[in-house]
């Protein structure tokens, strides 16, 4: 089997053995949820409910503010206890809707076409917008914007991203195995919206059962789509890397996939689209991998948005006494957590708990100019130079050298023998550039 890939990248230990064979289980209805009004790139949604309001599962509780925003819905049936500031897993306190569950699960479904196969692209994408769907691969970019590219962009291909290159995580893997038909329904809906027939499904070769399952189901449906086996390498799941591997096209500097005629969606996003368009269910739940050697019984779970990390961990037997670190997402791009009473959000792909850190180095040494970071960078930057310029107070110069093209995958930090926080300095540089007045 020929394997496709991109240039450079790194090979962290996959650590998927904990949950790759675990069928997705559904968490019990939570007793209460904390649903952030900011779960997407763009403006926060505006609360449309208040304290003591009765809400149903799927009911709109946060209204999108402008195009670059996303609707927020209640994931349970119950009573609004409060609308206020609560701790977010990204580290800050943000506005959330706190709902106490009634014990029922009474759904308020979205209006949708009687037959999506005959519906127009505009009708289908309107359902995607109303459902509050965002990219579930981690970017949380509002999906309705991605599915409505500028008219001058001539698209000819769609790629379904099933790579899941981040260590430990297996939620996408299990969706392709356990919910294959629903994932492909979502892909079919996306391709109808985009008016495309040329479809690809990219999957890393460490998921042979998912590759086989997708190929079998695509053949059964009689679709011309191609399942492409990709070399297991990080960050194979990044859009630019995936497009390079599958289609040998290079997204231009500062450009988007649509610039080379391609749209990419994650398998979880495709499944959410199918749930919305076919069943009328907004994005109120997602598959989350709860894993690591610090979890008593690692699992893949279907969790309601707003349910807590503590609830998911309890369902998996809890944390071991030896656990020293828990983070949301995978170890390469995830965010470390300091308590477990934070909510799972639309972008929560995993909860990873570990009993040891493979290599914990608190001291930073001088750069030895080995260029390991340069050899690893999948977008061909000079991470050492960009980091140094930012550290020396020259983010504008770093900007000229491609700072904003960094995809923040962390490959440079992974290989640095001097433990230099390269990515952290690059993020600081980006932050400073974004704060400059327009035209500066």
């Amino acid at each position: 089997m020929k394997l496709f890939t991109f240039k450079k990248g790194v090979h962290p230990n996959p650590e998927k053995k904990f949950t790759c064979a675990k069928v997705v289980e559904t968490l019990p209805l939570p007793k209460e949820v904390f649903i952030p009004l900011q779960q997407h790139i763009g403006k926060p949604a505006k609360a449309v409910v208040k304290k003591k309001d009765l809400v149903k599962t799927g009911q709109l509780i946060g209204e999108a503010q402008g195009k670059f925003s996303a609707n927020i819905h209640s994931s349970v049936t119950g009573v609004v206890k409060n609308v206020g500031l609560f701790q977010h897993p990204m580290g800050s306190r943000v506005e959330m809707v706190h709902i106490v569950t009634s014990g029922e699960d009474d759904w308020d479904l979205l209006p949708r076409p009687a037959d999506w196969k005959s519906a127009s692209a505009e009708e289908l994408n309107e359902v995607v917008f109303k459902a509050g769907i965002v990219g579930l691969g981690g970017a949380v970019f509002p999906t309705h914007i991605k599915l409505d590219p500028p008219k001058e962009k001539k698209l000819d291909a769609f790629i379904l991203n099933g790579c899941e290159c981040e260590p430990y995580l297996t939620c996408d893997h299990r969706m392709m195995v356990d919910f294959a038909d629903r994932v492909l329904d979502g892909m079919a809906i996306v391709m109808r919206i985009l008016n495309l027939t040329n479809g690809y499904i990219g999957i890393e070769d460490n998921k042979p059962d998912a590759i086989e399952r997708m190929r079998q189901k695509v053949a059964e449906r009689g679709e011309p789509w191609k399942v492409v086996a990709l070399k297991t390498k990080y960050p194979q799941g990044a859009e630019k890397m995936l497009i390079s591997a599958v289609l040998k096209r290079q997204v231009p500097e500062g450009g988007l996939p649509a610039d080379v005629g391609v749209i990419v969606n994650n398998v979880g996003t495709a499944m959410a689209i199918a749930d919305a368009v076919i069943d009328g269910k907004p994005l109120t739940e997602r598959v989350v991998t709860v894993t690591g050697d610090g979890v008593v019984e690692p699992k893949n779970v279907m969790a309601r948005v707003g349910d807590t990390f503590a609830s998911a961990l309890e369902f998996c037997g809890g944390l071991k006494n030896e656990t020293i670190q828990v983070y949301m997402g995978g170890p390469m791009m995830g965010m470390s957590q300091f308590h477990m009473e934070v909510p799972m959000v639309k972008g929560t792909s995993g909860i990873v708990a570990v009993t040891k850190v493979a290599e914990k180095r608190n001291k930073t040494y001088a750069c030895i100019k080995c260029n390991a970071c340069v050899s690893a960078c999948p977008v061909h930057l000079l991470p050492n130079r960009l980091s140094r310029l930012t550290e020396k107070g020259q983010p504008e110069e770093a900007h000229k050298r491609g700072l904003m093209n960094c995809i923040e995958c962390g490959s440079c930090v992974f290989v640095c023998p001097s433990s230099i926080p390269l990515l952290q300095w690059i993020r600081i540089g980006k932050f400073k550039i974004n704060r400059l007045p327009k035209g500066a």
Side-chain angles (χ1 to χ4, degrees):
M1 182 169 62
K2 183 179 180 180
L3 299 177
F4 296 84
T5 191
F6 63 98
K7 294 180 179 180
K8 302 190 177 183
V10 295
H11 296 85
N13 292 330
E15 300 292 358
K16 297 180 185 280
K17 59 184 181 293
F18 297 104
T19 54
C20 64
K22 299 285 186 73
V23 174
V24 176
E25 300 180 43
T26 302
L27 288 180
L29 275 177
K31 295 179 181 178
E32 60 181 354
V33 292
F34 298 83
I35 304 177
L37 295 170
Q38 177 77 72
Q39 298 185 56
H40 49 267
I41 290 175
K43 292 183 179 180
K46 180 181 179 182
V48 294
V49 293
K50 61 184 183 303
K51 187 176 180 178
K52 296 184 179 180
D53 280 356
L54 301 177
V55 294
K56 294 181 179 181
T57 308
Q59 180 178 328
L60 183 72
I61 60 173
E63 188 174 35
Q65 298 299 293
K67 183 177 180 180
F68 282 88
S69 186
N71 289 322
I72 304 292
H73 303 80
S74 175
S75 59
V76 295
T77 300
V79 180
V80 176
K81 186 173 182 180
N82 191 20
V83 179
L85 299 178
F86 297 93
Q87 193 69 38
H88 192 281
M90 293 303 289
S92 59
R93 289 172 64 82
V94 303
E95 190 175 26
M96 301 188 191
V97 180
H98 179 196
I99 303 170
V100 177
T101 312
S102 67
E104 304 297 322
D105 199 23
D106 188 11
W107 278 85
D108 182 12
L109 298 175
L110 297 167
R112 70 275 190 197
D115 178 15
W116 68 263
K117 294 180 181 178
S118 60
S120 69
E122 291 74 20
E123 286 179 286
L124 296 175
N125 204 24
E126 181 66 14
V127 177
V128 172
F129 166 69
K130 288 182 176 178
I133 297 172
V134 298
L136 298 186
V140 293
F141 187 84
T143 302
H144 67 277
I145 299 175
K146 182 179 279 192
L147 300 185
D148 185 25
K151 302 303 180 187
E152 66 270 16
K153 306 294 183 184
K154 303 301 180 184
L155 304 179
D156 65 357
F158 171 75
I159 301 177
L160 185 67
N161 187 351
C163 292
E164 197 165 41
C165 58
E166 184 80 55
Y168 286 97
L169 304 185
T170 59
C171 53
D172 290 353
H173 180 175
R174 291 314 309 181
M175 275 187 272
M176 289 186 285
V177 175
D178 299 346
F179 309 117
D181 284 317
R182 182 47 60 107
V183 168
L184 292 177
D185 284 342
M187 180 172 175
I189 292 168
V190 168
M191 295 188 69
R192 178 167 179 78
I193 293 173
L194 297 172
N195 191 28
L196 295 174
T197 57
N198 194 19
Y200 301 85
I201 304 170
I203 309 174
E204 286 190 328
D205 68 329
N206 62 354
K207 307 171 187 64
D209 54 342
I211 293 172
E212 179 58 31
R213 181 77 163 161
M214 286 287 107
R215 283 180 172 161
Q216 173 196 344
K217 288 296 182 179
V218 167
E220 287 177 5
R221 297 166 75 102
E223 299 286 2
W225 308 334
K226 297 177 183 178
V227 178
V228 182
L230 301 165
K231 185 176 180 180
T232 299
K233 184 166 64 169
Y234 182 86
Q236 183 66 82
E239 285 188 339
K240 292 181 179 181
M241 277 64 262
L242 184 57
I243 293 168
S244 174
V246 173
L247 296 173
K248 308 304 179 190
R249 301 179 189 176
Q250 303 300 320
V251 178
E253 182 176 336
L256 297 170
D259 294 327
V260 291
V262 187
I263 295 293
V264 180
N265 271 136
N266 169 265
V267 296
T269 309
M271 187 164 142
I273 290 170
D275 287 343
V277 171
I278 297 173
D279 296 334
K281 290 185 175 182
L283 180 50
T284 57
E285 61 182 6
R286 66 155 298 152
V287 180
V288 178
T289 300
V290 185
T291 187
D293 64 350
V295 178
V296 173
E297 188 180 354
K299 296 179 179 182
N300 296 294
V301 300
M302 183 69 78
R304 298 290 175 105
V305 171
D307 198 359
T308 63
F309 281 36
S311 177
L313 288 164
E314 181 183 359
F315 185 74
C316 297
L319 294 173
K320 296 178 182 177
N321 292 333
E322 312 91 88
T323 300
I324 63 170
Q325 187 177 33
V326 177
Y327 42 94
M328 180 177 78
M332 297 297 286
M333 296 183 71
M335 178 70 70
S336 185
Q337 304 297 307
F338 61 89
H339 70 76
M340 299 299 105
E341 295 302 327
V342 292
M344 291 177 280
V345 295
K346 293 178 182 180
T348 305
S349 53
I351 301 171
V352 180
V354 294
T355 60
K356 58 183 179 298
V357 177
E359 193 170 1
K360 191 173 181 65
R361 299 170 294 184
N362 295 319
K363 186 175 180 180
T364 297
Y365 298 90
C367 175
I368 60 173
K369 297 181 173 58
C370 65
N371 281 339
C373 60
V374 178
S375 298
C377 180
V379 289
H380 311 291
L381 299 175
L382 304 175
N384 48 0
R385 180 66 61 85
L386 299 177
S387 169
R388 189 65 172 164
L389 287 169
T390 301
E391 186 180 2
K392 292 297 182 182
Q394 302 176 51
E396 295 90 347
E397 185 62 29
H399 187 18
K400 294 177 184 177
R401 296 172 183 267
L403 177 74
M404 304 307 287
N405 291 321
C406 172
I407 62 173
E408 302 185 24
C409 66
S411 296
C412 55
V413 179
F414 180 77
V415 299
C416 180
S418 296
S419 301
I420 299 171
L422 300 164
L423 177 56
Q424 287 83 345
W425 279 116
I426 288 172
R427 283 174 171 163
I428 290 171
K430 282 185 167 187
F431 176 75
K432 289 182 176 179
I433 291 298
N434 286 329
R435 291 188 66 184
L436 290 175
K438 296 295 182 182

